[in-house]
Amino acid sequence: MVKKYLSLLLICLFAWPAMAGERKKVAVVLGGGGAKGVAHIGVLKVLEEAGVPIDIVAGTSMGAIVGGLYAIGYSPDEIKEMVEAQDWDMLLSDKVKRSHLLFPEKEKAERYIVSLPFGLEKKDRVIDGVVKGQNLQNLFSDLTIGYHDSVDFNLFQIPFACVAVDMVSGKDYIFHKGSLPLAMRASMAIPAVFTPVRLDSMVLVDGGLNNNYPVDVALAMGADIIIGVDLATSDLRTYDRLHSPGDIATQIIALHGYDKYARNCDRTDLLFRPDMEPYRSSSFAPAALDTMLHRGEAEARCRWNEIMALKRKIGLSDTDTFSIQARRLAHRPVLPADTFYVRHIRFDGADPRDLNWLHRICALKENSHITLKELRKSMSILVGTNAYAYVNYKLTGESQQDLVLTLQPKSESSVNLGIRFDSEEIIGVLVNATYHKGKRNHSRFAFTGRVGSKISSAMLDYSIERSPLRNFNLSYKFSYNNLDIYEKGDKRFNTTYTHHLAEFAYSDMNWLSFKVKAGLRYEYFNYNSFLYTGSDELYAVKPEGFFSYFASAHLETLDRRYFPNKGVSLEADYSLYTDNFVKYNGRSPFSAIGLKFMTVCPISSRLSLLPAFYGRVLIGGNTAYPFLNAIGGETFGRYLSQQLPFAGINHVEILDNSVVVARLQLRQRIAGNNYITLTGNYGIHNDDFFHLLEGRSLWGGSLGYAYNSIAGPLSATFGMSNRNSHLQFYMNLGFMF
């Protein structure tokens, strides 16, 4: 009985204004303005408090986002909470968490400063912006579950429309139906900033190009009264406000649509224009958003008397209330924290040969309940494979139980450039060109060239993927090396030589954080010179070739390659060296075992402890010079593949057959991307592994400053060790390679 009375009450609340036949139809029009659009939330809150009925919502760009959410039942407070909860740096980018990258992408990440794709078939090409909008689109989908399919916007709790511009015809496109998240995304697709939305034969961009304040759209929907929020982004700038290229571009857009904008302003019954100075459309910092939101609310409260006067014009008294809250009870949107049931999963845009792999890599199961958190992670992983430009989703079918993941193919063929400067090598340049033939046989051909004062190299690499991320690889690398070898801080000799390396291997990288590799190598060393600074010649070397069998495994969960905040890296490798596949110099072959471990232990949000343990052991009494243990520098494999880092030693030093090092770093983030790092390390080396503790000791430390720039770390380090008699200095700018 109680339910019947409540239902009757709700029906009366909805039907009473229509039965009375006196009240005029009210539309709220929300203009575009980027970050400034949060002011809409404050105005809507005050209008609700004043009891103003809202029968239509129309918006452009940010106004389309706020208006769309409001129209399906979100309250101003809920939209405010959503705005405050976002990581806007992540949202307004196409960043993928490193933990969601597959292993090969982790290896390539943060190495090149420029990457240019090429080679995608014409029908698959996407008109890019600086931001593809992957993260934004999926947020809109999260917030509008139940409105992904083709729906009639007039059937929302409040009828809704938003504006985009078709770049093919140049005309406005008014969304009255379709997918709500797609409509919101199209309406805010600022040209050259966000990738346009392709719909049928249209290429849709931000509606603000033609109609940033769409009063005419609301009137066409039957509005009698217009309440508008204009953020002054369509105002013409005066002489003293035209300084930058951005100012000029904004002025051109404003001039283009100014006549329509002026007419729409004239047709507004109550126009709110909150003061947004000095903020801009790009002011997405939390403090700025909070200020602009409250300015919108303050503007509306200051004009309370005008709101009451408008209510009387509508046909209501000051005390009449219009319960929007009651209307929301009829149907609530699904909030992002909910779990939902998925009956079927479909991949649109995927190569049919990859479907099994896609299901496996997503880890989403059909006929099961999944959370939005799990879904977001799966889509992030798919983008992290680097095979797709973006991945979006929608829930369709009966009760929205069919999950459709739309994949936009991405060219894996690219040209990449890396540059770095340091006090050792002065300058190094890395160039890579990768051609991917994914649609025919999943093969990849790559050329990588490196130029530097100590090492210059060229490498050709060909891979055939039997299944995604499981491949057979054939490569050849030629390098010219000019290295100084030190002993206890003094230069002992210089060697110049060429190195030829041919490798056939199988790699399995079909996991987010784990890679295994095994194969066969042939290496040939040809020494051009071997110049000692003294009379003692320590090593008798000659041109020599080696066949080796190798295997390696690497687990890596670090959240960042440089300055990680959490995670672990564990790597083990083994190589067996021969000169005829069986023996070396007519005797038993020798081998090398390596182990590297590092983890991050956060002490606070800014202070971290980074312990590490690593070493390398040569087994056999017939060891060849090219594979002797080496130490020095800040990274593994700085000049020699077997080189181990050691704080306080900048140059390359040769050590005994068994080396173990323990390192401890204390890293403090002092402001923004600035870091101070204190490093201490201790090592032991001996020719006999079983008597390693009786070997010679190494100790050293360093103090360094680093800035994490977009071009790579800028760092300066001072160090000392028991192998040097003077202070060591090292400076670097750029990603390591």
Side-chain angles (χ1 to χ4, degrees), residues 179-251:
S179 167
L180 178 58
L182 186 72
M184 294 159 64
R185 170 68 177 82
S187 186
M188 51 73 62
I190 302 171
V193 177
F194 293 101
T195 297
V197 170
R198 288 179 170 267
L199 180 64
D200 300 327
S201 60
M202 297 180 292
V203 178
L204 300 175
V205 298
D206 194 308
L209 286 181
N210 284 354
N211 195 355
N212 200 43
Y213 179 57
V215 170
D216 54 319
V217 174
L219 291 171
M221 294 172 70
D224 302 308
I225 299 292
I226 301 294
I227 300 173
V229 185
D230 173 42
L231 303 170
T233 54
S234 296
D235 286 351
L236 297 181
R237 294 172 180 253
T238 57
Y239 173 84
D240 58 344
R241 294 182 63 207
L242 291 171
H243 302 294
S244 67
D247 294 336
I248 299 298
T250 301
Q251 185 81 334

Side-chain angles (χ1 to χ4, degrees), residues 232-288:
T233 54
S234 296
D235 286 351
L236 297 181
R237 294 172 180 253
T238 57
Y239 173 84
D240 58 344
R241 294 182 63 207
L242 291 171
H243 302 294
S244 67
D247 294 336
I248 299 298
T250 301
Q251 185 81 334
I252 291 172
I253 294 171
L255 286 167
H256 175 70
Y258 187 76
D259 289 342
K260 179 181 285 188
Y261 167 72
R263 288 196 302 271
N264 283 340
C265 286
D266 290 341
R267 298 156 87 179
T268 303
D269 296 276
L270 180 58
L271 179 60
F272 296 102
R273 303 193 79 197
D275 178 16
M276 295 287 102
E277 292 296 332
Y279 300 109
R280 307 174 70 89
S281 298
S282 57
S283 299
F284 282 95

Side-chain angles (χ1 to χ4, degrees), residues 46-52 270 272 300 303-320:
V46 176
L47 291 177
E48 283 197 2
E49 291 178 8
V52 175
L270 180 58
F272 296 102
R303 301 177 65 184
W304 185 267
N305 291 337
E306 294 178 62
I307 295 173
M308 291 297 109
L310 186 69
K311 279 187 69 176
R312 293 189 288 273
K313 182 178 179 180
I314 293 168
L316 300 173
S317 70
D318 291 3
T319 57
D320 284 339

Side-chain angles (χ1 to χ4, degrees), residues 69-299:
L69 295 177
Y70 187 74
I72 63 173
Y74 281 90
S75 70
D77 285 339
E78 287 170 338
I79 301 174
K80 175 178 179 288
E81 290 173 5
M82 181 274 295
V83 169
E84 293 172 343
Q86 300 310 311
D87 179 349
W88 288 96
D89 286 339
M90 177 68 75
L91 200 60
L92 296 173
S93 72
D94 297 312
K95 294 178 182 177
V96 176
K97 291 182 179 179
R98 197 167 190 270
S99 60
H100 294 167
L101 292 176
L102 294 180
F103 208 97
E105 299 310 313
K106 289 182 181 180
E107 292 183 319
K108 290 190 293 185
E110 297 175 306
R111 175 170 294 183
Y112 302 105
I113 59 173
V114 176
S115 183
L116 301 174
F118 70 90
L120 199 64
E121 293 184 14
K122 186 175 181 180
K123 67 182 181 66
D124 290 329
R125 290 176 187 165
V126 179
I127 303 173
D128 276 340
V130 176
V131 180
K132 294 181 177 64
Q134 155 84 15
N135 296 330
L136 270 175
Q137 173 74 49
N138 290 323
L139 173 66
F140 297 159
S141 295
D142 292 350
L143 296 171
T144 59
I145 289 177
Y147 301 91
H148 295 176
D149 247 339
S150 184
V151 291
D152 186 347
F153 294 2
N154 291 310
L155 300 180
F156 290 175
Q157 292 183 35
I158 304 174
F160 170 71
C162 64
V163 184
V165 174
D166 176 20
M167 295 301 290
V168 176
S169 66
K171 297 179 180 179
D172 291 356
Y173 181 78
I174 314 301
F175 280 95
H176 289 291
K177 62 180 180 179
S179 167
L180 178 58
L182 186 72
M184 294 159 64
R185 170 68 177 82
S187 186
M188 51 73 62
I190 302 171
V193 177
F194 293 101
T195 297
V197 170
R198 288 179 170 267
L199 180 64
D200 300 327
S201 60
M202 297 180 292
V203 178
L204 300 175
V205 298
D206 194 308
L209 286 181
N210 284 354
N211 195 355
N212 200 43
Y213 179 57
V215 170
D216 54 319
V217 174
L219 291 171
M221 294 172 70
D224 302 308
I225 299 292
I226 301 294
I227 300 173
V229 185
D230 173 42
L231 303 170
T233 54
S234 296
D235 286 351
L236 297 181
R237 294 172 180 253
T238 57
Y239 173 84
D240 58 344
R241 294 182 63 207
L242 291 171
H243 302 294
S244 67
D247 294 336
I248 299 298
T250 301
Q251 185 81 334
I252 291 172
I253 294 171
L255 286 167
H256 175 70
Y258 187 76
D259 289 342
K260 179 181 285 188
Y261 167 72
R263 288 196 302 271
N264 283 340
C265 286
D266 290 341
R267 298 156 87 179
T268 303
D269 296 276
L270 180 58
L271 179 60
F272 296 102
R273 303 193 79 197
D275 178 16
M276 295 287 102
E277 292 296 332
Y279 300 109
R280 307 174 70 89
S281 298
S282 57
S283 299
F284 282 95
L289 291 172
D290 184 66
T291 299
M292 290 186 286
L293 191 150
H294 283 95
R295 285 188 184 180
E297 182 178 344
E299 165 75 3

